[in-house]
Amino acid sequence: MASVTLDPSEIDRNNAEGQKLRAEGDAARITAVAAAEQSQAEARKANAEAAAEELRTRKLTHDVDRADEARRDELAGHKYNHLYVFDTQVSDASVKQCIAQLVNWERTSPGKDLEIEIQINSPGGEIFAGFALIDHIAAMHTRGHTVNTTTLGMAASMGGVILQVGKKRTMGAHSFLLIHEASFRAGGSFANVQDEVELVEKMHDLILDLFASRSKMTRVQIKRKWNRKDWWIGAAEALKHGFIDSIV
């Protein structure tokens, strides 16, 4: 058999080509692996960005929903419906707060004839403070505004007097009105006591005039009813005597 002898240069060339092919294969594999890793990294980044965007969208939607809900609650509140709840004693502080809100409504609605409701649930209190509020409401009426008064619970003493200044006076079916003489605690000299008595009599005149002007009863009849006692009146009786215009 004849033997085959390869040229050394050819062997080297074949080895070089083999190494080249292996190197190219290795490079291709490395490139493919790198491309796959880059693709996976890009996919993970895209997923993370999508998740972050979804969270931002959800947060924005939640914030908008909460803002809308807060705005709806605000618009449904008493302030935006011109309802003032007077559910405390009649005092300088409580009257000042009420008048401040009435002034705010009037100033923020220039040129408009407002309709306001004051809802009273008060045990009464200071006569001077009460008449300050009454005079303010009466002045609003002369400027074309309408202030109605409603009693839910009780309008006692000065609270009942304030009730009378409303254009329309309303009581809840289970509410009560209390009418009685003004009270005072005079002390000191006889002259001081006499001055106090004269002041209370003037207060009585104002209160009787207001009740009589808005009711079916005379000053004498009202005074006879409240003389030395508390005169508690339910809604039906208050309507009968004309101390209110309607019952709710």
Side-chain angles (χ1 to χ4, degrees):
M1 176 180 289
S3 61
V4 178
T5 303
L6 296 177
D7 187 352
S9 61
E10 186 177 353
I11 293 173
D12 292 340
R13 187 166 55 253
N14 289 338
N15 289 336
E17 289 178 356
Q19 290 175 353
K20 179 181 178 183
L21 290 174
R22 286 193 295 273
E24 290 176 350
D26 291 341
R29 284 192 296 274
I30 291 171
T31 301
V33 170
E37 290 178 347
Q38 182 178 359
S39 178
Q40 291 175 357
E42 290 175 351
R44 287 193 296 270
K45 180 181 179 182
N47 290 336
E49 290 176 348
E53 182 62 26
E54 184 178 0
L55 285 175
R56 282 194 295 270
T57 302
R58 287 182 180 178
K59 184 178 185 302
L60 286 173
T61 302
H62 179 67
D63 290 345
V64 169
D65 289 344
R66 289 190 64 182
D68 287 345
E69 183 179 359
R71 181 60 176 167
R72 286 194 299 270
D73 289 344
E74 186 179 15
L75 292 175
H78 296 332
K79 178 181 177 180
Y80 282 90
N81 290 279
H82 294 164
L83 170 64
Y84 189 89
V85 178
F86 198 108
D87 57 353
T88 185
Q89 287 189 333
V90 179
S91 66
D92 288 339
S94 63
V95 165
K96 187 180 295 183
Q97 184 176 352
C98 182
I99 290 177
Q101 183 60 72
L102 297 178
V103 169
N104 177 269
W105 281 330
E106 193 170 7
R107 288 179 178 172
T108 54
S109 303
K112 294 183 180 179
D113 292 338
L114 300 174
E115 183 167 346
I116 295 169
E117 179 182 350
I118 298 180
Q119 191 179 98
I120 302 168
N121 183 18
S122 173
E126 300 172 14
I127 295 177
F128 288 126
F131 271 111
L133 179 56
I134 288 170
D135 286 344
H136 185 86
I137 293 171
M140 291 185 70
H141 289 163
T142 65
R143 292 193 290 271
H145 304 302
T146 298
V147 181
N148 299 316
T149 49
T150 302
T151 294
L152 296 179
M154 68 173 171
S157 190
M158 202 60 207
V161 182
I162 294 171
L163 174 66
Q164 300 306 304
V165 78
K167 278 279 184 73
K168 181 180 179 182
R169 303 158 299 163
T170 307
M171 283 180 69
H174 303 93
S175 299
F176 283 88
L177 171 65
L178 170 61
I179 301 176
H180 64 183
E181 295 176 307
S183 60
F184 68 99
R185 296 178 181 178
S189 67
F190 175 78
N192 289 339
V193 173
Q194 198 170 30
D195 289 343
E196 186 79 8
V197 170
E198 290 177 1
L199 175 60
V200 171
E201 287 178 348
K202 291 178 180 179
M203 291 177 175
H204 282 169
D205 286 339
L206 291 174
I207 294 170
L208 288 167
D209 284 343
L210 184 55
F211 274 115
S213 67
R214 300 296 307 275
S215 73
K216 301 173 184 177
M217 299 183 71
T218 66
R219 285 169 49 98
V220 173
Q221 290 171 326
I222 297 170
K223 193 171 183 179
R224 187 182 301 126
K225 281 285 189 179
W226 83 10
N227 191 30
R228 294 189 179 86
K229 68 175 184 178
D230 288 343
W231 183 23
W232 286 98
I233 309 169
E237 187 178 359
L239 182 62
K240 173 185 173 183
H241 293 310
F243 294 127
I244 58 172
D245 303 301
S246 63
I247 299 174
V248 294

